[in-house]
Amino acid sequence: MPELPEVETVRRVLGPQMTGRTMISASIRTPGVIAHPEPTAFIEGIEGKRVIDTGRRGKFLTIGMEGGSRLVIHLRMTGCLLIAPEGYPEEAHTHVTIGLDDGKELRFSDTRRFGRMWLIDSGQDACTGMERLGPEPFDNIDASYLQGRLGRSRRKIKQCLMDQSAIAGIGNIYSDEILFSSSIDPRREACTLSADEWRRLAKAIPERLSFFIEKNMITPEEYLETKGKDYRNTPFLQVYGHEGEPCPVCGSRLEHTVIAGRGSTFCPICQH
């Protein structure tokens, strides 16, 4: 599933191509991906609207339009956004296309059809779930906040990091990477962490996410060439997906466990 670094990459690639453009047409092939409003109103609400800016909130991508309305997109597990030039071959499972005034199209494809799109008026977030999100990882989150918000919980610390109401944007992949960088076992109950461990965690959250955003940097040409599907941080992940391989720090065998139904990889020596 795309997490904060991936969604931020999509925003940085597509944003400059969309800002200032007018959305002149829309086609919805799979009505179920439109969460709000109903498809006809969705089309009427975006046609003729100029894009003012693009943003990100947690794992949500937002496209601001003149008049204050916003197009909100959540990619979920397999969603993909692409700005394609005229005549560019369409991807399988393309559910929504939005024509721009420069002849290009914004296309949303999703193999598993879990992704969703909303068109919301200014100040209306209740239907997307964004109003329930916690602070962004870069919003000066410190050890006091983390300990105050999570320090009494008996949930595993990995599960707490993925709680979107506590911190927005962290998922399965980057919780593993953050905890490895912090030398904290993902199986630990949050209430067992020391003050020093909360400080290490508060430092690692923005540092690791910033690192992966930087490593994700890709040109619009490269993004289009890979059809928006090959911009992730696989070569730079230290533990996630490396079960059974040597720890990059101590050389011990990385282990795998399941926490709250999600797979987690960690070093039994470095993380304790």
Side-chain angles (χ1 to χ4, degrees), residues 190-239:
C191 60
T192 68
L193 268 62
S194 68
D196 182 60
E197 287 171 324
W198 287 115
R199 284 191 290 270
R200 296 204 307 261
L201 198 57
K203 180 181 178 181
I205 289 170
E207 188 279 325
R208 285 288 83 192
L209 293 175
S210 295
F211 171 83
F212 286 113
I213 289 171
E214 179 183 348
K215 293 302 181 183
N216 258 353
M217 288 180 65
I218 186 172
T219 67
E221 293 76 18
E222 291 169 332
Y223 184 88
L224 180 63
E225 183 179 355
T226 60
K227 300 178 181 178
K229 297 178 181 178
D230 190 21
Y231 58 91
R232 296 188 173 103
N233 283 302
T234 303
F236 305 102
L237 297 172
Q238 293 187 290
V239 290

mmCIF file of all heavy atoms in Angstrom, residues 190-239:
data_model
loop_
_atom_site.group_PDB
_atom_site.id
_atom_site.type_symbol
_atom_site.label_atom_id
_atom_site.label_comp_id
_atom_site.label_asym_id
_atom_site.label_seq_id
_atom_site.Cartn_x
_atom_site.Cartn_y
_atom_site.Cartn_z
ATOM 1 N N ALA A 190 3.616 -0.396 24.000
ATOM 2 C CA ALA A 190 3.995 1.016 24.041
ATOM 3 C C ALA A 190 4.246 1.500 25.460
ATOM 4 O O ALA A 190 5.129 2.336 25.689
ATOM 5 C CB ALA A 190 2.910 1.861 23.370
ATOM 6 N N CYS A 191 3.497 0.980 26.408
ATOM 7 C CA CYS A 191 3.627 1.432 27.796
ATOM 8 C C CYS A 191 4.954 1.027 28.438
ATOM 9 O O CYS A 191 5.275 1.490 29.535
ATOM 10 C CB CYS A 191 2.465 0.926 28.644
ATOM 11 S SG CYS A 191 2.325 -0.879 28.718
ATOM 12 N N THR A 192 5.744 0.183 27.772
ATOM 13 C CA THR A 192 7.033 -0.257 28.337
ATOM 14 C C THR A 192 8.202 0.593 27.843
ATOM 15 O O THR A 192 9.329 0.405 28.308
ATOM 16 C CB THR A 192 7.319 -1.727 27.989
ATOM 17 O OG1 THR A 192 7.562 -1.855 26.573
ATOM 18 C CG2 THR A 192 6.153 -2.628 28.391
ATOM 19 N N LEU A 193 7.966 1.515 26.920
ATOM 20 C CA LEU A 193 9.065 2.307 26.382
ATOM 21 C C LEU A 193 9.566 3.331 27.398
ATOM 22 O O LEU A 193 8.775 3.939 28.132
ATOM 23 C CB LEU A 193 8.637 3.031 25.098
ATOM 24 C CG LEU A 193 8.897 2.296 23.788
ATOM 25 C CD1 LEU A 193 8.135 0.978 23.725
ATOM 26 C CD2 LEU A 193 8.535 3.183 22.595
ATOM 27 N N SER A 194 10.862 3.527 27.413
ATOM 28 C CA SER A 194 11.476 4.501 28.309
ATOM 29 C C SER A 194 11.439 5.888 27.692
ATOM 30 O O SER A 194 11.160 6.063 26.501
ATOM 31 C CB SER A 194 12.929 4.108 28.586
ATOM 32 O OG SER A 194 13.709 4.239 27.402
ATOM 33 N N ALA A 195 11.752 6.897 28.497
ATOM 34 C CA ALA A 195 11.789 8.272 27.994
ATOM 35 C C ALA A 195 12.806 8.413 26.873
ATOM 36 O O ALA A 195 12.564 9.116 25.884
ATOM 37 C CB ALA A 195 12.120 9.232 29.140
ATOM 38 N N ASP A 196 13.951 7.743 27.005
ATOM 39 C CA ASP A 196 14.962 7.806 25.960
ATOM 40 C C ASP A 196 14.458 7.158 24.667
ATOM 41 O O ASP A 196 14.743 7.659 23.572
ATOM 42 C CB ASP A 196 16.244 7.113 26.425
ATOM 43 C CG ASP A 196 17.345 7.191 25.386
ATOM 44 O OD1 ASP A 196 17.752 8.311 25.033
ATOM 45 O OD2 ASP A 196 17.776 6.120 24.892
ATOM 46 N N GLU A 197 13.721 6.085 24.777
ATOM 47 C CA GLU A 197 13.188 5.428 23.579
ATOM 48 C C GLU A 197 12.148 6.298 22.885
ATOM 49 O O GLU A 197 12.098 6.350 21.647
ATOM 50 C CB GLU A 197 12.615 4.060 23.953
ATOM 51 C CG GLU A 197 13.712 3.052 24.274
ATOM 52 C CD GLU A 197 13.185 1.757 24.863
ATOM 53 O OE1 GLU A 197 12.198 1.803 25.646
ATOM 54 O OE2 GLU A 197 13.767 0.693 24.577
ATOM 55 N N TRP A 198 11.329 7.009 23.645
ATOM 56 C CA TRP A 198 10.378 7.933 23.022
ATOM 57 C C TRP A 198 11.120 9.048 22.289
ATOM 58 O O TRP A 198 10.704 9.486 21.210
ATOM 59 C CB TRP A 198 9.431 8.523 24.065
ATOM 60 C CG TRP A 198 8.398 7.562 24.580
ATOM 61 C CD1 TRP A 198 8.274 7.093 25.847
ATOM 62 C CD2 TRP A 198 7.344 6.951 23.822
ATOM 63 N NE1 TRP A 198 7.210 6.229 25.938
ATOM 64 C CE2 TRP A 198 6.625 6.117 24.714
ATOM 65 C CE3 TRP A 198 6.946 7.017 22.495
ATOM 66 C CZ2 TRP A 198 5.517 5.368 24.318
ATOM 67 C CZ3 TRP A 198 5.846 6.269 22.076
ATOM 68 C CH2 TRP A 198 5.147 5.457 22.983
ATOM 69 N N ARG A 199 12.241 9.509 22.871
ATOM 70 C CA ARG A 199 13.032 10.539 22.205
ATOM 71 C C ARG A 199 13.636 10.006 20.905
ATOM 72 O O ARG A 199 13.634 10.698 19.878
ATOM 73 C CB ARG A 199 14.142 11.051 23.139
ATOM 74 C CG ARG A 199 13.647 11.985 24.232
ATOM 75 C CD ARG A 199 14.790 12.662 24.935
ATOM 76 N NE ARG A 199 15.557 11.730 25.762
ATOM 77 C CZ ARG A 199 15.291 11.473 27.031
ATOM 78 N NH1 ARG A 199 14.283 12.089 27.629
ATOM 79 N NH2 ARG A 199 16.024 10.622 27.724
ATOM 80 N N ARG A 200 14.144 8.788 20.937
ATOM 81 C CA ARG A 200 14.715 8.198 19.724
ATOM 82 C C ARG A 200 13.641 8.033 18.652
ATOM 83 O O ARG A 200 13.880 8.270 17.462
ATOM 84 C CB ARG A 200 15.353 6.840 20.036
ATOM 85 C CG ARG A 200 16.538 6.910 20.990
ATOM 86 C CD ARG A 200 17.473 5.733 20.830
ATOM 87 N NE ARG A 200 16.845 4.442 20.913
ATOM 88 C CZ ARG A 200 16.840 3.666 22.004
ATOM 89 N NH1 ARG A 200 17.412 4.105 23.134
ATOM 90 N NH2 ARG A 200 16.277 2.480 21.999
ATOM 91 N N LEU A 201 12.458 7.641 19.077
ATOM 92 C CA LEU A 201 11.363 7.439 18.135
ATOM 93 C C LEU A 201 10.934 8.775 17.517
ATOM 94 O O LEU A 201 10.721 8.870 16.294
ATOM 95 C CB LEU A 201 10.185 6.787 18.867
ATOM 96 C CG LEU A 201 9.111 6.107 18.022
ATOM 97 C CD1 LEU A 201 9.700 5.028 17.142
ATOM 98 C CD2 LEU A 201 8.041 5.507 18.948
ATOM 99 N N ALA A 202 10.825 9.811 18.346
ATOM 100 C CA ALA A 202 10.430 11.127 17.846
ATOM 101 C C ALA A 202 11.441 11.663 16.839
ATOM 102 O O ALA A 202 11.072 12.356 15.874
ATOM 103 C CB ALA A 202 10.278 12.108 19.008
ATOM 104 N N LYS A 203 12.699 11.346 17.021
ATOM 105 C CA LYS A 203 13.736 11.771 16.084
ATOM 106 C C LYS A 203 13.687 10.964 14.791
ATOM 107 O O LYS A 203 13.861 11.498 13.688
ATOM 108 C CB LYS A 203 15.113 11.636 16.735
ATOM 109 C CG LYS A 203 16.257 12.051 15.838
ATOM 110 C CD LYS A 203 17.598 11.881 16.542
ATOM 111 C CE LYS A 203 18.752 12.255 15.619
ATOM 112 N NZ LYS A 203 20.068 12.067 16.297
ATOM 113 N N ALA A 204 13.445 9.662 14.922
ATOM 114 C CA ALA A 204 13.498 8.766 13.759
ATOM 115 C C ALA A 204 12.307 8.954 12.813
ATOM 116 O O ALA A 204 12.454 8.772 11.600
ATOM 117 C CB ALA A 204 13.558 7.307 14.215
ATOM 118 N N ILE A 205 11.143 9.297 13.337
ATOM 119 C CA ILE A 205 9.942 9.391 12.481
ATOM 120 C C ILE A 205 10.143 10.386 11.339
ATOM 121 O O ILE A 205 10.059 10.007 10.168
ATOM 122 C CB ILE A 205 8.697 9.714 13.325
ATOM 123 C CG1 ILE A 205 8.309 8.493 14.171
ATOM 124 C CG2 ILE A 205 7.530 10.131 12.428
ATOM 125 C CD1 ILE A 205 7.231 8.781 15.210
ATOM 126 N N PRO A 206 10.422 11.656 11.609
ATOM 127 C CA PRO A 206 10.605 12.577 10.473
ATOM 128 C C PRO A 206 11.872 12.305 9.686
ATOM 129 O O PRO A 206 11.906 12.492 8.462
ATOM 130 C CB PRO A 206 10.638 13.953 11.142
ATOM 131 C CG PRO A 206 11.075 13.693 12.544
ATOM 132 C CD PRO A 206 10.503 12.355 12.900
ATOM 133 N N GLU A 207 12.919 11.837 10.358
ATOM 134 C CA GLU A 207 14.185 11.593 9.655
ATOM 135 C C GLU A 207 14.042 10.491 8.626
ATOM 136 O O GLU A 207 14.469 10.628 7.470
ATOM 137 C CB GLU A 207 15.277 11.233 10.665
ATOM 138 C CG GLU A 207 16.669 11.156 10.071
ATOM 139 C CD GLU A 207 16.966 9.837 9.368
ATOM 140 O OE1 GLU A 207 16.466 8.792 9.839
ATOM 141 O OE2 GLU A 207 17.692 9.850 8.348
ATOM 142 N N ARG A 208 13.436 9.378 9.026
ATOM 143 C CA ARG A 208 13.294 8.247 8.095
ATOM 144 C C ARG A 208 12.337 8.587 6.954
ATOM 145 O O ARG A 208 12.599 8.263 5.793
ATOM 146 C CB ARG A 208 12.784 7.008 8.840
ATOM 147 C CG ARG A 208 13.794 6.300 9.721
ATOM 148 C CD ARG A 208 14.857 5.546 8.905
ATOM 149 N NE ARG A 208 15.940 6.419 8.453
ATOM 150 C CZ ARG A 208 16.850 6.085 7.559
ATOM 151 N NH1 ARG A 208 16.804 4.899 6.997
ATOM 152 N NH2 ARG A 208 17.805 6.920 7.206
ATOM 153 N N LEU A 209 11.232 9.233 7.273
ATOM 154 C CA LEU A 209 10.272 9.570 6.217
ATOM 155 C C LEU A 209 10.882 10.567 5.232
ATOM 156 O O LEU A 209 10.693 10.454 4.019
ATOM 157 C CB LEU A 209 8.980 10.095 6.827
ATOM 158 C CG LEU A 209 8.174 9.062 7.620
ATOM 159 C CD1 LEU A 209 6.984 9.724 8.290
ATOM 160 C CD2 LEU A 209 7.718 7.908 6.748
ATOM 161 N N SER A 210 11.616 11.552 5.737
ATOM 162 C CA SER A 210 12.282 12.503 4.850
ATOM 163 C C SER A 210 13.301 11.802 3.962
ATOM 164 O O SER A 210 13.429 12.119 2.768
ATOM 165 C CB SER A 210 12.981 13.595 5.675
ATOM 166 O OG SER A 210 12.056 14.380 6.384
ATOM 167 N N PHE A 211 14.037 10.866 4.539
ATOM 168 C CA PHE A 211 15.023 10.105 3.773
ATOM 169 C C PHE A 211 14.367 9.375 2.613
ATOM 170 O O PHE A 211 14.838 9.439 1.470
ATOM 171 C CB PHE A 211 15.721 9.102 4.695
ATOM 172 C CG PHE A 211 16.610 8.119 3.987
ATOM 173 C CD1 PHE A 211 17.911 8.453 3.649
ATOM 174 C CD2 PHE A 211 16.147 6.840 3.669
ATOM 175 C CE1 PHE A 211 18.732 7.532 2.992
ATOM 176 C CE2 PHE A 211 16.954 5.929 3.012
ATOM 177 C CZ PHE A 211 18.248 6.278 2.674
ATOM 178 N N PHE A 212 13.267 8.711 2.880
ATOM 179 C CA PHE A 212 12.621 7.930 1.828
ATOM 180 C C PHE A 212 11.914 8.816 0.806
ATOM 181 O O PHE A 212 11.850 8.461 -0.376
ATOM 182 C CB PHE A 212 11.669 6.908 2.438
ATOM 183 C CG PHE A 212 12.385 5.758 3.074
ATOM 184 C CD1 PHE A 212 12.339 5.559 4.447
ATOM 185 C CD2 PHE A 212 13.126 4.877 2.308
ATOM 186 C CE1 PHE A 212 13.016 4.499 5.038
ATOM 187 C CE2 PHE A 212 13.805 3.816 2.887
ATOM 188 C CZ PHE A 212 13.764 3.630 4.254
ATOM 189 N N ILE A 213 11.407 9.961 1.219
ATOM 190 C CA ILE A 213 10.853 10.904 0.247
ATOM 191 C C ILE A 213 11.948 11.349 -0.714
ATOM 192 O O ILE A 213 11.755 11.410 -1.939
ATOM 193 C CB ILE A 213 10.214 12.115 0.960
ATOM 194 C CG1 ILE A 213 8.915 11.703 1.666
ATOM 195 C CG2 ILE A 213 9.939 13.246 -0.033
ATOM 196 C CD1 ILE A 213 8.336 12.785 2.557
ATOM 197 N N GLU A 214 13.114 11.645 -0.166
ATOM 198 C CA GLU A 214 14.234 12.071 -1.004
ATOM 199 C C GLU A 214 14.658 10.958 -1.963
ATOM 200 O O GLU A 214 14.908 11.200 -3.150
ATOM 201 C CB GLU A 214 15.416 12.486 -0.131
ATOM 202 C CG GLU A 214 16.637 12.930 -0.919
ATOM 203 C CD GLU A 214 17.822 13.270 -0.039
ATOM 204 O OE1 GLU A 214 17.650 13.375 1.186
ATOM 205 O OE2 GLU A 214 18.926 13.417 -0.581
ATOM 206 N N LYS A 215 14.748 9.736 -1.461
ATOM 207 C CA LYS A 215 15.166 8.623 -2.306
ATOM 208 C C LYS A 215 14.120 8.280 -3.357
ATOM 209 O O LYS A 215 14.427 7.667 -4.379
ATOM 210 C CB LYS A 215 15.452 7.385 -1.446
ATOM 211 C CG LYS A 215 16.671 7.531 -0.536
ATOM 212 C CD LYS A 215 17.921 7.832 -1.338
ATOM 213 C CE LYS A 215 19.146 7.943 -0.447
ATOM 214 N NZ LYS A 215 20.363 8.313 -1.226
ATOM 215 N N ASN A 216 12.888 8.685 -3.112
ATOM 216 C CA ASN A 216 11.799 8.421 -4.060
ATOM 217 C C ASN A 216 11.788 9.382 -5.239
ATOM 218 O O ASN A 216 10.991 9.211 -6.164
ATOM 219 C CB ASN A 216 10.437 8.555 -3.352
ATOM 220 C CG ASN A 216 9.826 7.202 -3.020
ATOM 221 O OD1 ASN A 216 10.326 6.171 -3.415
ATOM 222 N ND2 ASN A 216 8.749 7.230 -2.262
ATOM 223 N N MET A 217 12.634 10.408 -5.207
ATOM 224 C CA MET A 217 12.571 11.453 -6.222
ATOM 225 C C MET A 217 12.700 10.857 -7.624
ATOM 226 O O MET A 217 13.569 10.028 -7.890
ATOM 227 C CB MET A 217 13.666 12.494 -5.989
ATOM 228 C CG MET A 217 13.419 13.380 -4.783
ATOM 229 S SD MET A 217 14.728 14.603 -4.511
ATOM 230 C CE MET A 217 14.553 15.611 -5.982
ATOM 231 N N ILE A 218 11.790 11.296 -8.498
ATOM 232 C CA ILE A 218 11.724 10.754 -9.846
ATOM 233 C C ILE A 218 11.202 11.848 -10.767
ATOM 234 O O ILE A 218 10.386 12.681 -10.344
ATOM 235 C CB ILE A 218 10.807 9.503 -9.875
ATOM 236 C CG1 ILE A 218 10.832 8.812 -11.235
ATOM 237 C CG2 ILE A 218 9.393 9.850 -9.470
ATOM 238 C CD1 ILE A 218 10.095 7.474 -11.234
ATOM 239 N N THR A 219 11.670 11.889 -11.991
ATOM 240 C CA THR A 219 11.204 12.909 -12.921
ATOM 241 C C THR A 219 9.841 12.515 -13.478
ATOM 242 O O THR A 219 9.476 11.334 -13.484
ATOM 243 C CB THR A 219 12.186 13.081 -14.084
ATOM 244 O OG1 THR A 219 12.178 11.884 -14.882
ATOM 245 C CG2 THR A 219 13.598 13.352 -13.574
ATOM 246 N N PRO A 220 9.078 13.482 -13.971
ATOM 247 C CA PRO A 220 7.803 13.140 -14.611
ATOM 248 C C PRO A 220 7.980 12.161 -15.768
ATOM 249 O O PRO A 220 7.126 11.296 -15.985
ATOM 250 C CB PRO A 220 7.276 14.497 -15.097
ATOM 251 C CG PRO A 220 7.889 15.488 -14.169
ATOM 252 C CD PRO A 220 9.258 14.943 -13.860
ATOM 253 N N GLU A 221 9.091 12.289 -16.491
ATOM 254 C CA GLU A 221 9.341 11.381 -17.611
ATOM 255 C C GLU A 221 9.561 9.956 -17.130
ATOM 256 O O GLU A 221 9.043 8.992 -17.722
ATOM 257 C CB GLU A 221 10.548 11.867 -18.418
ATOM 258 C CG GLU A 221 10.336 13.185 -19.148
ATOM 259 C CD GLU A 221 10.401 14.404 -18.226
ATOM 260 O OE1 GLU A 221 10.942 14.281 -17.098
ATOM 261 O OE2 GLU A 221 9.920 15.473 -18.640
ATOM 262 N N GLU A 222 10.326 9.810 -16.048
ATOM 263 C CA GLU A 222 10.573 8.479 -15.489
ATOM 264 C C GLU A 222 9.291 7.881 -14.916
ATOM 265 O O GLU A 222 9.035 6.685 -15.062
ATOM 266 C CB GLU A 222 11.642 8.566 -14.399
ATOM 267 C CG GLU A 222 13.034 8.892 -14.918
ATOM 268 C CD GLU A 222 13.998 9.236 -13.803
ATOM 269 O OE1 GLU A 222 13.547 9.740 -12.749
ATOM 270 O OE2 GLU A 222 15.204 9.018 -13.995
ATOM 271 N N TYR A 223 8.510 8.736 -14.271
ATOM 272 C CA TYR A 223 7.249 8.283 -13.687
ATOM 273 C C TYR A 223 6.315 7.773 -14.780
ATOM 274 O O TYR A 223 5.687 6.714 -14.643
ATOM 275 C CB TYR A 223 6.613 9.436 -12.921
ATOM 276 C CG TYR A 223 5.349 9.088 -12.172
ATOM 277 C CD1 TYR A 223 5.404 8.613 -10.865
ATOM 278 C CD2 TYR A 223 4.098 9.266 -12.759
ATOM 279 C CE1 TYR A 223 4.243 8.314 -10.167
ATOM 280 C CE2 TYR A 223 2.936 8.974 -12.072
ATOM 281 C CZ TYR A 223 3.012 8.493 -10.771
ATOM 282 O OH TYR A 223 1.847 8.193 -10.096
ATOM 283 N N LEU A 224 6.223 8.501 -15.881
ATOM 284 C CA LEU A 224 5.366 8.081 -16.988
ATOM 285 C C LEU A 224 5.894 6.805 -17.630
ATOM 286 O O LEU A 224 5.117 5.903 -17.957
ATOM 287 C CB LEU A 224 5.271 9.188 -18.033
ATOM 288 C CG LEU A 224 4.409 8.892 -19.263
ATOM 289 C CD1 LEU A 224 2.955 8.681 -18.864
ATOM 290 C CD2 LEU A 224 4.518 10.032 -20.283
ATOM 291 N N GLU A 225 7.215 6.726 -17.785
ATOM 292 C CA GLU A 225 7.816 5.544 -18.413
ATOM 293 C C GLU A 225 7.516 4.276 -17.635
ATOM 294 O O GLU A 225 7.286 3.205 -18.213
ATOM 295 C CB GLU A 225 9.321 5.737 -18.539
ATOM 296 C CG GLU A 225 10.041 4.592 -19.243
ATOM 297 C CD GLU A 225 11.525 4.826 -19.363
ATOM 298 O OE1 GLU A 225 11.999 5.913 -18.987
ATOM 299 O OE2 GLU A 225 12.227 3.907 -19.826
ATOM 300 N N THR A 226 7.501 4.375 -16.308
ATOM 301 C CA THR A 226 7.200 3.213 -15.466
ATOM 302 C C THR A 226 5.714 3.113 -15.153
ATOM 303 O O THR A 226 5.309 2.295 -14.332
ATOM 304 C CB THR A 226 7.994 3.276 -14.146
ATOM 305 O OG1 THR A 226 7.630 4.467 -13.429
ATOM 306 C CG2 THR A 226 9.486 3.295 -14.410
ATOM 307 N N LYS A 227 4.917 3.997 -15.771
ATOM 308 C CA LYS A 227 3.462 4.004 -15.624
ATOM 309 C C LYS A 227 3.024 4.207 -14.172
ATOM 310 O O LYS A 227 2.018 3.668 -13.727
ATOM 311 C CB LYS A 227 2.868 2.722 -16.205
ATOM 312 C CG LYS A 227 3.178 2.573 -17.692
ATOM 313 C CD LYS A 227 2.647 1.282 -18.271
ATOM 314 C CE LYS A 227 3.003 1.183 -19.764
ATOM 315 N NZ LYS A 227 2.551 -0.077 -20.372
ATOM 316 N N GLY A 228 3.844 4.956 -13.440
ATOM 317 C CA GLY A 228 3.497 5.303 -12.074
ATOM 318 C C GLY A 228 3.538 4.144 -11.104
ATOM 319 O O GLY A 228 2.949 4.215 -10.025
ATOM 320 N N LYS A 229 4.283 3.101 -11.444
ATOM 321 C CA LYS A 229 4.260 1.899 -10.604
ATOM 322 C C LYS A 229 5.630 1.463 -10.118
ATOM 323 O O LYS A 229 5.752 0.420 -9.485
ATOM 324 C CB LYS A 229 3.621 0.750 -11.391
ATOM 325 C CG LYS A 229 2.167 1.007 -11.769
ATOM 326 C CD LYS A 229 1.598 -0.134 -12.582
ATOM 327 C CE LYS A 229 0.148 0.135 -12.969
ATOM 328 N NZ LYS A 229 -0.422 -0.934 -13.814
ATOM 329 N N ASP A 230 6.667 2.241 -10.402
ATOM 330 C CA ASP A 230 8.009 1.797 -10.022
ATOM 331 C C ASP A 230 8.803 2.956 -9.444
ATOM 332 O O ASP A 230 9.846 3.334 -9.945
ATOM 333 C CB ASP A 230 8.732 1.216 -11.249
ATOM 334 C CG ASP A 230 10.026 0.510 -10.868
ATOM 335 O OD1 ASP A 230 10.159 0.133 -9.696
ATOM 336 O OD2 ASP A 230 10.891 0.350 -11.748
ATOM 337 N N TYR A 231 8.302 3.533 -8.366
ATOM 338 C CA TYR A 231 8.968 4.679 -7.764
ATOM 339 C C TYR A 231 9.198 4.464 -6.284
ATOM 340 O O TYR A 231 9.473 5.399 -5.536
ATOM 341 C CB TYR A 231 8.123 5.945 -7.971
ATOM 342 C CG TYR A 231 6.728 5.838 -7.390
ATOM 343 C CD1 TYR A 231 6.460 6.233 -6.095
ATOM 344 C CD2 TYR A 231 5.686 5.306 -8.141
ATOM 345 C CE1 TYR A 231 5.191 6.122 -5.552
ATOM 346 C CE2 TYR A 231 4.407 5.198 -7.617
ATOM 347 C CZ TYR A 231 4.171 5.612 -6.328
ATOM 348 O OH TYR A 231 2.908 5.484 -5.801
ATOM 349 N N ARG A 232 9.085 3.220 -5.842
ATOM 350 C CA ARG A 232 9.146 2.968 -4.407
ATOM 351 C C ARG A 232 10.561 2.676 -3.950
ATOM 352 O O ARG A 232 11.466 2.447 -4.744
ATOM 353 C CB ARG A 232 8.182 1.846 -4.042
ATOM 354 C CG ARG A 232 6.728 2.267 -4.312
ATOM 355 C CD ARG A 232 5.734 1.252 -3.787
ATOM 356 N NE ARG A 232 4.385 1.752 -3.918
ATOM 357 C CZ ARG A 232 3.530 1.374 -4.863
ATOM 358 N NH1 ARG A 232 3.892 0.483 -5.750
ATOM 359 N NH2 ARG A 232 2.320 1.898 -4.919
ATOM 360 N N ASN A 233 10.731 2.622 -2.618
ATOM 361 C CA ASN A 233 12.044 2.642 -1.984
ATOM 362 C C ASN A 233 12.696 1.279 -1.777
ATOM 363 O O ASN A 233 13.566 1.150 -0.926
ATOM 364 C CB ASN A 233 11.901 3.300 -0.603
ATOM 365 C CG ASN A 233 11.799 4.803 -0.718
ATOM 366 O OD1 ASN A 233 12.690 5.429 -1.258
ATOM 367 N ND2 ASN A 233 10.716 5.371 -0.238
ATOM 368 N N THR A 234 12.297 0.278 -2.518
ATOM 369 C CA THR A 234 12.771 -1.079 -2.261
ATOM 370 C C THR A 234 14.281 -1.170 -2.077
ATOM 371 O O THR A 234 14.747 -1.846 -1.142
ATOM 372 C CB THR A 234 12.310 -2.022 -3.391
ATOM 373 O OG1 THR A 234 10.894 -1.964 -3.487
ATOM 374 C CG2 THR A 234 12.741 -3.457 -3.102
ATOM 375 N N PRO A 235 15.129 -0.536 -2.899
ATOM 376 C CA PRO A 235 16.577 -0.694 -2.716
ATOM 377 C C PRO A 235 17.109 -0.100 -1.420
ATOM 378 O O PRO A 235 18.225 -0.427 -1.005
ATOM 379 C CB PRO A 235 17.167 0.051 -3.926
ATOM 380 C CG PRO A 235 16.063 0.160 -4.906
ATOM 381 C CD PRO A 235 14.815 0.271 -4.083
ATOM 382 N N PHE A 236 16.335 0.775 -0.776
ATOM 383 C CA PHE A 236 16.835 1.492 0.396
ATOM 384 C C PHE A 236 16.233 0.998 1.706
ATOM 385 O O PHE A 236 16.620 1.469 2.777
ATOM 386 C CB PHE A 236 16.560 2.988 0.236
ATOM 387 C CG PHE A 236 17.117 3.551 -1.042
ATOM 388 C CD1 PHE A 236 16.283 3.798 -2.129
ATOM 389 C CD2 PHE A 236 18.469 3.795 -1.167
ATOM 390 C CE1 PHE A 236 16.792 4.309 -3.308
ATOM 391 C CE2 PHE A 236 18.991 4.300 -2.349
ATOM 392 C CZ PHE A 236 18.153 4.549 -3.425
ATOM 393 N N LEU A 237 15.297 0.070 1.636
ATOM 394 C CA LEU A 237 14.695 -0.469 2.856
ATOM 395 C C LEU A 237 15.719 -1.343 3.577
ATOM 396 O O LEU A 237 16.343 -2.212 2.981
ATOM 397 C CB LEU A 237 13.447 -1.279 2.522
ATOM 398 C CG LEU A 237 12.297 -0.497 1.882
ATOM 399 C CD1 LEU A 237 11.192 -1.439 1.430
ATOM 400 C CD2 LEU A 237 11.746 0.548 2.849
ATOM 401 N N GLN A 238 15.872 -1.119 4.874
ATOM 402 C CA GLN A 238 16.875 -1.856 5.628
ATOM 403 C C GLN A 238 16.351 -3.178 6.184
ATOM 404 O O GLN A 238 17.101 -4.146 6.276
ATOM 405 C CB GLN A 238 17.410 -0.984 6.767
ATOM 406 C CG GLN A 238 18.207 0.217 6.273
ATOM 407 C CD GLN A 238 18.864 0.947 7.415
ATOM 408 O OE1 GLN A 238 18.206 1.597 8.234
ATOM 409 N NE2 GLN A 238 20.176 0.839 7.504
ATOM 410 N N VAL A 239 15.069 -3.206 6.576
ATOM 411 C CA VAL A 239 14.546 -4.437 7.166
ATOM 412 C C VAL A 239 13.271 -4.933 6.497
ATOM 413 O O VAL A 239 13.096 -6.148 6.326
ATOM 414 C CB VAL A 239 14.314 -4.286 8.697
ATOM 415 C CG1 VAL A 239 15.633 -4.193 9.428
ATOM 416 C CG2 VAL A 239 13.420 -3.089 9.014
#
